[in-house]
Amino acid sequence: MMKLREIRQMLFDSKQLLQEELVLSRHGHSFVLRSNNTSLLSELTSRLRNYIVDPDDKVDVGATIVVFEGEDVEMPFKWRQWPLVDGEGTGIRDLKKARAVRQASIGLTFLQSRKHRIARGACAENLDRIEEFIHQQFANELLSEGGVLCHATCIRMGERAIAIAGPDRERAEALANAVLVDPRAQLVTQGDVIVSGKPGFRPLAYVLAPKADAPMEGAAAEVPSRKKGQAKGKKKGAVVPSTKALALSTLVLTNRLDAADKEIDVRRINPLSRPGLITGVMVGATPFSAKPEGGYFAPGEAPSVRAYVQQLKNLDCYEARIDLGAGNMGHAAPALLETAA
């Protein structure tokens, strides 16, 4: 059986890596990003600028993420098949405290362990996949602390946030759009949200994948990469976007309304009593998903519903039953905010 060190050496040549590196930080977790390709590093700098820390700021950095542009490497072992992801076959190979992932149809191979996070192959042609891989590394760090990952729209209301989710994404989106008409409401993210919190404390909402064009605190500024080993001297001008988590006060789960006399019916619920709704907003495991207790999810394995409910116990949970055919929902949003916010 090949050792992790041997696989790592096959995936990249450390002598070819550029001296420039980026420090990426989100919600108290940081990585160094390196590459062997100048244009690839430049593209990732643009895409991930809301993650980038000024090179002069002192940050405790964890592992290094290496994105190596080059020919894909054939590994001398058989791959275990992961269920189809976006219609493409994906192979996995579990090693001791590590996992290799191969997406052969697009020419990418990945390696994950506590110390090594490597992507190798046609990276420049598949920047979305590389970005997802980097986002997953941050997600794994947060999930290791006992968090859960939800499909939700997160809306800021002052210093707190409301998460709107549901098995029927169309209803959740319609309700979120109606709420956003209120001038107090600010869209934080539409996508995946980390909900995390210790038992007995209010859960927090973490934006998993902030977009490059998302609003930043203060004026946006170009944050340069630094050369490895570069001396640190404080500079002015660079603004780091906020990585502060939002206190999540309310979770609204949308569902179908069967009655014809209303277009929305909001009622408080115990999430324990509605496991179907909870299951519908859970984010399933990917080949890159690590378990909080260590190791990685197996093909077909799903996160625990109990873990989700545990995190939702300190939230005000509501079910919003919606009839999309009833017309304009605008007048229902103030009632929802008055009830749930």
Side-chain angles (χ1 to χ4, degrees):
M1 182 175 179
M2 291 188 69
K3 295 182 178 180
L4 180 61
R5 181 181 66 255
E6 297 171 329
I7 297 175
R8 174 177 171 271
Q9 289 174 346
M10 289 183 67
L11 288 177
F12 80 99
D13 180 355
S14 60
K15 295 179 181 178
Q16 295 184 29
L17 294 180
L18 301 171
Q19 287 296 307
E20 288 77 15
E21 59 184 29
L22 300 176
V23 178
L24 308 178
S25 184
R26 200 72 185 165
H27 306 306
H29 298 280
S30 302
F31 295 98
V32 169
L33 178 64
R34 300 191 66 191
S35 180
N36 66 325
N37 185 286
T38 303
S39 60
L40 177 57
L41 190 62
S42 177
E43 286 290 335
L44 290 173
T45 300
S46 176
R47 282 175 171 246
L48 300 170
R49 69 179 180 84
N50 280 356
Y51 278 78
I52 298 174
V53 176
D54 187 285
D56 299 321
D57 288 344
K58 293 183 179 180
V59 176
D60 292 329
V61 178
T64 296
I65 300 174
V66 176
V67 180
F68 199 93
E69 179 71 21
E71 292 183 1
D72 197 8
V73 177
E74 284 286 348
M75 293 293 178
F77 47 64
K78 292 183 179 179
W79 297 91
R80 186 181 179 188
Q81 203 64 24
W82 186 272
L84 289 179
V85 179
D86 297 331
E88 297 177 355
T90 297
I92 60 170
R93 177 78 178 200
D94 286 326
L95 312 162
K96 186 177 181 180
K97 297 183 180 180
R99 169 171 282 182
V101 179
R102 178 169 172 78
Q103 296 177 340
S105 61
I106 54 177
L108 288 175
T109 300
F110 303 87
L111 179 66
Q112 284 190 183
S113 70
R114 291 304 300 171
K115 293 184 178 179
H116 309 298
R117 321 289 171 97
I118 302 170
R120 162 78 184 235
C123 300
E125 296 178 13
N126 298 281
L127 283 172
D128 287 346
R129 296 299 176 88
I130 300 301
E131 194 174 353
E132 289 172 8
F133 174 66
I134 294 172
H135 292 156
Q136 186 66 60
Q137 306 315 307
F138 282 96
N140 284 344
E141 295 299 314
L142 289 167
L143 295 174
S144 70
E145 299 172 350
V148 295
L149 185 58
C150 300
H151 291 295
T153 295
C154 188
I155 296 174
R156 183 200 297 266
M157 297 292 293
E159 292 300 315
R160 291 190 175 183
I162 301 172
I164 299 177
D168 187 328
R169 305 290 168 77
E170 187 178 5
R171 282 174 169 74
E173 185 176 337
L175 181 57
N177 289 338
V179 171
L180 285 168
V181 174
D182 190 295
R184 299 171 296 168
Q186 178 187 359
L187 177 65
V188 178
T189 183
Q190 278 184 304
D192 294 342
V193 176
I194 293 285
V195 179
S196 178
K198 297 178 181 179
F201 291 85
R202 175 79 63 187
L204 300 175
Y206 296 95
V207 180
L208 176 61
K211 300 300 182 183
D213 56 354
M216 301 170 65
E217 290 192 358
E222 291 295 326
V223 183
S225 60
R226 71 179 183 193
K227 289 190 176 182
K228 190 176 182 181
Q230 176 180 323
K232 294 183 179 181
K234 195 66 180 175
K235 291 188 291 186
K236 297 180 179 179
V239 176
V240 180
S242 172
T243 58
K244 177 182 174 184
L246 295 170
L248 191 63
S249 61
T250 306
L251 174 65
V252 181
L253 297 167
T254 59
N255 204 355
R256 185 183 301 273
L257 179 66
D258 296 323
D261 57 335
K262 295 181 179 180
E263 66 181 52
I264 184 170
D265 178 31
V266 181
R267 60 183 65 184
R268 191 163 183 168
I269 61 169
N270 179 350
L272 283 169
S273 67
R274 306 305 301 272
L277 281 177
I278 300 300
T279 303
V281 302
M282 292 168 56
V283 174
T286 74
F288 303 105
S289 298
K291 294 182 177 180
E293 63 273 18
Y296 297 88
F297 282 94
E301 191 176 3
S304 166
V305 178
R306 180 177 297 179
Y308 274 72
V309 173
Q310 179 70 21
Q311 293 292 348
L312 302 180
K313 282 172 63 176
N314 298 303
L315 278 174
D316 294 330
C317 291
Y318 292 84
E319 179 185 12
R321 296 190 298 157
I322 299 170
D323 178 9
L324 286 177
N328 184 12
M329 290 176 49
H331 69 274
L336 171 67
L337 290 174
E338 190 69 27
T339 303

